[in-house]
């Protein structure tokens, strides 16, 4: 539904424009069902329009800027694909952040500040204005807002100039007071630093001599006494270190190194000892660092380690059940620098909302009782916040009582090309096409392990319990598509990893699968029990990407030499498949045909989307292979029409696998949006190709049966 354009013709008096509700704005709205071609014509005829509002049954549901629309239309096949479909389909495939929504009562200055606070890519985009009294939503061009702001600013300059002289005397007095306060803080910082150093000197002697004494022959009673002295001394040294670090930050004497380091090595050094503490509480400690995050960096790894240890240590301390996770994400990479965002997420006791600001103050904890229960000086977060700020970032927190907390900060570091790349290659050839079963009751752990497996070219399937794992392994063996590797969590409810291994040992047709166990409890008895059950290896959580890959390659290499594993092995499905393949490239046609025919499958080949629709309408197939880029009609549109045809018939949905040379995240999202079930990336190997085809066919057969 198209409404008329409603705008004020001009500003009659900038002096009276104080609220954004008085600015010229566009109220042009289109329904979700409006064809893309109509939107395209509107923007062509209204070049100055900032964008449109999208409605459903006259209720605003989204907005679309002209720039975003034109960007999508300029993509390959974008114009052809989206002009013939409703605008709602474009919104589903378009990655865009929700537009800024402001009240009509918001002042011009507030609106400018809100716009400039957005991410740089969205800063100057239009925004929405909501009239609370009438329920209308309109769109305002940011240029109009700046124009109004400039005019108001010019009119108020004189008023500000008059006010400046009145504040000058007060400012002078405040400057003098601040100077005295800074001097007092400096003296305090120097005192704390000197005091900490004076205490640390004898403490080093106490701890050092205690350690030497513990290495001598002692009675049981003497060893107990000295061990308690050592533990108490270490606790006291931790408090002194906190005071020293805080005093250095207060006095402005923190020195940062600038050296090369490997990020994943630093993280591994942090989480390994903390993992033992977490395992003792049955808390999952996880590290999520995608392959897109660079490893070779220049900065101060010691200070970065100090902040992460403090935040992770607090998270483990205040979490009694659930999980603690370290997330690292690459925000942007430019001019030899990378901005990394670190997130520490827990499912612990949480922080009351009224305490969120005060927790970064020195000597303060959210609840005084936590000092008695958990210990600590209350300096850790203040120190971490100060270090992050001196590294150019800002430490912030989100938390809910009883649900957990998320601490987050971002820092910019240099890339270092001189450091030898120590992370494993992204797609080791030995693992390509390896069918892998991931068994873990923790959702986050499953997601991380699955992402690692995909990055290495493996073909992972995830389940959340031991019983589901046994069922999946049994079905795979029955259909001749066994798994080459199982990553098995040791600690799961109802049926733990050892019980699964015991069940596997009783099933000869499955036992050839190589099993690697992941455990949170580093106990020698576990390794011995695992060996007796035929488990190839045990890794202790938290498992880093490099540790897991090294272990998998080593264990599979040893198993392959002994004839106990078949990497990437293919076996025929329970019956021949009838396959429809839509592919315009003759070479790809012949290659895929030979793969399928040699396996006993029947293949019908068509050359474009129109022929694929006709074939699907007149025949029955077990699998459809759909090339994405074809003449006349591409694979996305063909899939959409096939799904609509199946829905109208009320019958089953035929599994459809996309064959594409474009396997970016946005490409996969577009495929999923139209109903595609799986992806085959070009160029593909026989194992990858046949595994995907037979896997989705087997799932369909299982559901049908």
């Amino acid at each position: 539904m198209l409404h008329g354009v409603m705008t004020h013709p001009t500003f009659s008096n900038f002096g009276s424009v104080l609220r954004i509700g008085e600015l010229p704005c566009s109220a042009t709205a289109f329904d979700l069902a409006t064809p893309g071609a109509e939107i395209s014509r509107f923007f062509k005829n209204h070049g100055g329009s900032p964008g449109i509002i999208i409605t459903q049954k006259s209720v605003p549901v989204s907005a679309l800027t002209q720039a975003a629309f034109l960007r999508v239309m300029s993509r390959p096949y974008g114009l052809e694909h989206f002009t013939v479909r409703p605008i709602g389909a474009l919104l589903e495939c378009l990655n865009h952040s929700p537009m800024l929504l402001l009240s009509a009562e918001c002042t011009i200055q507030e609106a400018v500040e809100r716009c400039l606070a957005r991410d740089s890519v969205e800063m100057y985009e239009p925004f929405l204005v909501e009239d609370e009294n009438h329920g209308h939503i309109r769109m305002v061009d940011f240029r109009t807002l700046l124009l109004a702001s400039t005019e108001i600013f010019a009119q108020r300059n004189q008023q500000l100039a008059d006010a400046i002289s009145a504040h000058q005397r007060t400012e002078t007095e405040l400057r003098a007071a601040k100077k005295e306060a800074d001097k007092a803080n400096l003296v305090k910082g120097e005192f704390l630093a000197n005091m900490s150093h004076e205490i640390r000197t004898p403490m080093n002697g106490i701890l050092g001599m205690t350690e030497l004494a513990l290495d001598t022959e002692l009675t049981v009673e003497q060893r107990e006494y000295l061990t308690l002295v050592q533990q108490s001394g270490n606790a006291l040294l931790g408090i002194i270190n906190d005071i020293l670090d805080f005093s250095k930050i207060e006095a402005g004497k923190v020195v940062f190194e600038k050296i090369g380091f490997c990020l994943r090595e630093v993280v591994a050094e942090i989480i390994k000892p903390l993992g033992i503490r977490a395992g003792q509480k049955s808390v999952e400690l996880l590290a999520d660092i995608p392959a897109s995050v660079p490893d070779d960096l220049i900065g101060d790894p010691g200070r970065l380690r100090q902040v992460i240890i403090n935040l992770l240590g607090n998270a483990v301390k205040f979490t009694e059940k659930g999980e603690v996770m370290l997330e690292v994400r690459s925000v942007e990479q430019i001019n030899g620098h990378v901005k990394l965002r670190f997130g520490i997420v827990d499912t612990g006791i949480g922080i009351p909302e009224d305490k969120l600001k005060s927790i970064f103050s020195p000597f303060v904890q959210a609840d005084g009782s936590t000092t008695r229960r958990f210990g600590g000086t209350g300096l850790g977060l203040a120190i971490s916040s100060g270090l992050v700020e001196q590294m150019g970032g800002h430490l912030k927190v989100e938390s809910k009582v009883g649900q957990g907390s998320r601490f987050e900060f971002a820092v910019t570091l240099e890339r270092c090309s001189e450091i030898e790349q120590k992370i494993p290659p992204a797609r080791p050839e030995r693992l390509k096409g390896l069918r892998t079963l991931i068994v873990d009751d923790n959702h986050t752990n499953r997601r991380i392990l699955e992402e690692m497996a995909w990055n290495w070219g493996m073909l992972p399937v995830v389940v959340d319990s031991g019983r589901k794992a046994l069922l999946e392994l049994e079905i795979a063996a029955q259909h001749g598509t066994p798994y080459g590797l199982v990553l098995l969590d040791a600690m799961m409810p109802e049926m733990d990893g050892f019980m699964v291994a015991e069940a596997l040992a009783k099933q000869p047709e499955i036992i050839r699968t190589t099993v690697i166990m992941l455990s949170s409890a580093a106990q020698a008895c576990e390794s011995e029990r695992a060996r007796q059950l035929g488990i190839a290896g045990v890794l202790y959580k938290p498992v880093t990407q490099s540790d897991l890959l090294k272990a998998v390659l080593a264990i599979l290499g040893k198993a392959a030499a002994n004839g106990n594993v078949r990497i990437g092995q293919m076996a025929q499905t329970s019956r021949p498949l009838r396959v429809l393949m839509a592919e315009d490239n003759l070479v790809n046609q012949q290659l895929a045909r030979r793969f399928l025919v040699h396996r006993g499958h029947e293949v019908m080949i068509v050359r474009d989307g129109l022929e694929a629709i006709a074939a699907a309408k007149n025949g029955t197939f077990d699998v459809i292979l759909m090339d994405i880029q074809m003449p006349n009609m591409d694979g996305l549109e063909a899939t959409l029409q096939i799904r609509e045809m199946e829905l109208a018939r009320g019958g089953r949905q035929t599994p459809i696998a996309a064959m594409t040379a474009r396997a970016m995240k946005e490409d996969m999202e577009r495929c999923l949006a139209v109903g595609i079930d799986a992806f085959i990336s070009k160029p593909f190997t026989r194992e990858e190709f046949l595994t995907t085809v037979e896997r989705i066919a087997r799932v369909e057969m299982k559901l049908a049966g």
Side-chain angles (χ1 to χ4, degrees), residues 497-542:
F498 290 102
M499 295 171 68
V500 174
E502 289 174 355
L504 287 176
K506 299 175 182 178
Q507 301 184 52
E509 69 276 10
I510 301 179
I511 192 59
R512 297 185 69 181
T513 299
T514 298
V515 179
I516 297 177
M517 180 169 282
L518 309 179
S519 174
S520 300
Q523 300 178 5
C525 59
E526 278 201 347
S527 297
E528 177 59 25
R529 185 182 177 190
R531 186 186 64 78
Q532 293 175 356
L533 291 172
I535 294 174
V538 179
L539 293 177
Y540 296 107
K541 296 180 180 179

Side-chain angles (χ1 to χ4, degrees), residues 67-129:
F69 181 79
L70 295 177
R71 185 167 62 251
V72 173
M73 290 299 105
S74 64
R75 294 178 182 174
Y77 301 99
L79 186 63
E80 176 184 347
H81 185 61
F82 289 110
T83 54
V84 298
R85 301 182 60 193
I87 189 65
L90 181 141
L91 291 179
E92 293 178 2
C93 301
L94 182 64
N95 289 326
H96 69 287
S97 302
M99 293 195 68
L100 180 63
L101 178 63
L102 301 177
S103 169
E105 298 302 311
C106 181
T107 66
I108 296 294
Q109 187 61 33
E110 290 173 349
V112 172
E113 292 173 356
R114 290 286 301 278
C115 289
L116 295 180
R118 293 189 290 184
D119 292 340
S120 58
V121 295
E122 302 171 352
M123 186 178 295
Y124 295 102
E125 288 192 357
F127 60 94
L128 300 181
V129 177

Side-chain angles (χ1 to χ4, degrees), residues 438-442 446 462-466 468 492-493:
I438 298 169
V439 189
D440 200 310
D441 63 305
N442 182 276
R446 292 197 304 272
V462 298
V463 294
D464 60 4
S465 71
K468 291 181 180 179
M492 295 184 292

Side-chain angles (χ1 to χ4, degrees), residues 581 583-593 605 607:
M581 180 169 62
E583 169 67 70
D584 64 306
N585 183 279
L586 294 177
V587 175
N588 287 335
Q589 288 179 6
Q590 294 303 315
L591 179 65
R593 181 200 288 272
I605 297 178
R607 294 171 295 179

Side-chain angles (χ1 to χ4, degrees), residues 104-371:
E105 298 302 311
C106 181
T107 66
I108 296 294
Q109 187 61 33
E110 290 173 349
V112 172
E113 292 173 356
R114 290 286 301 278
C115 289
L116 295 180
R118 293 189 290 184
D119 292 340
S120 58
V121 295
E122 302 171 352
M123 186 178 295
Y124 295 102
E125 288 192 357
F127 60 94
L128 300 181
V129 177
E130 181 179 23
D131 188 339
E132 297 177 353
N133 295 327
H134 302 92
H136 298 313
I137 293 182
R138 298 179 179 180
M139 182 180 288
V140 173
D141 192 332
F142 185 68
R143 293 172 298 178
T144 302
L145 177 64
L146 287 181
L147 179 61
S149 177
T150 302
E151 291 292 334
I152 294 172
F153 180 76
Q155 290 189 8
R156 293 181 178 173
N157 265 349
Q158 187 58 45
Q159 297 174 354
L160 291 175
D162 296 338
I164 287 175
S165 59
H167 288 289
Q168 284 181 338
R169 288 187 300 273
T170 303
E171 186 179 350
T172 301
E173 295 172 359
L174 290 174
R175 189 179 295 111
K178 183 179 182 300
K179 186 176 181 180
E180 290 297 320
D182 289 343
K183 183 178 179 180
N185 284 334
L186 184 61
V187 172
K188 180 182 69 174
E190 291 286 354
F191 171 75
L192 288 173
N194 291 333
M195 182 187 68
S196 298
H197 277 297
E198 290 299 322
I199 297 175
R200 283 173 61 87
T201 300
M203 280 301 304
N204 283 335
I206 293 171
L207 291 173
M209 290 302 174
T210 302
E211 186 175 1
L212 290 175
L214 285 169
D215 289 336
T216 63
E217 293 185 5
L218 300 168
T219 65
V220 174
E221 188 176 21
Q222 289 172 333
R223 184 168 299 278
E224 180 182 359
Y225 291 161
L226 287 173
T227 300
L228 290 174
V229 170
Q230 186 182 51
Q231 291 174 350
S232 299
N234 285 327
L236 180 58
L237 185 60
I239 296 173
I240 295 170
N241 287 336
D242 282 349
I243 295 174
L244 178 60
D245 285 332
F246 178 70
S247 66
K248 285 182 178 180
I249 293 173
E250 287 274 292
K253 292 187 175 181
V254 178
V255 178
F256 287 87
E257 290 186 308
K258 196 173 182 180
I259 60 175
F261 67 95
C262 295
L263 175 65
R264 287 169 177 80
E265 286 187 1
V266 170
V267 171
E269 292 169 1
I270 293 170
I271 64 175
K272 286 299 181 183
L274 287 175
I276 297 175
R277 286 170 49 189
Q280 292 170 347
K281 303 172 69 175
S282 297
V283 172
E284 291 274 4
L285 179 58
L286 311 168
D288 185 7
I289 310 178
S292 59
V293 176
D295 196 48
D296 46 337
L297 304 170
I298 296 177
D300 191 330
R303 293 301 181 185
L304 185 62
R305 184 186 294 109
Q306 183 178 358
V307 174
I308 297 175
I309 286 177
N310 193 297
L311 297 176
L312 273 180
N314 278 349
V316 172
K317 181 195 298 185
F318 297 121
T319 302
E320 297 299 328
K321 61 180 180 179
E323 65 183 38
V324 174
M325 180 165 63
L326 169 64
E327 297 177 349
V328 186
R329 296 291 185 269
S330 175
V331 179
E332 62 178 3
Q333 300 187 41
I334 185 171
N335 296 331
H337 290 73
V338 57
K339 185 176 182 180
L340 298 180
R341 184 177 69 246
F342 295 82
I344 292 83
V345 189
D346 66 64
T347 57
I349 62 176
I351 305 168
E353 187 175 356
D354 59 339
K355 302 292 185 181
L356 287 177
K357 292 184 179 179
S358 63
I359 61 172
F360 294 114
S361 301
F363 311 106
V364 172
Q365 289 190 337
D367 182 356
S369 64
T370 60
T371 304

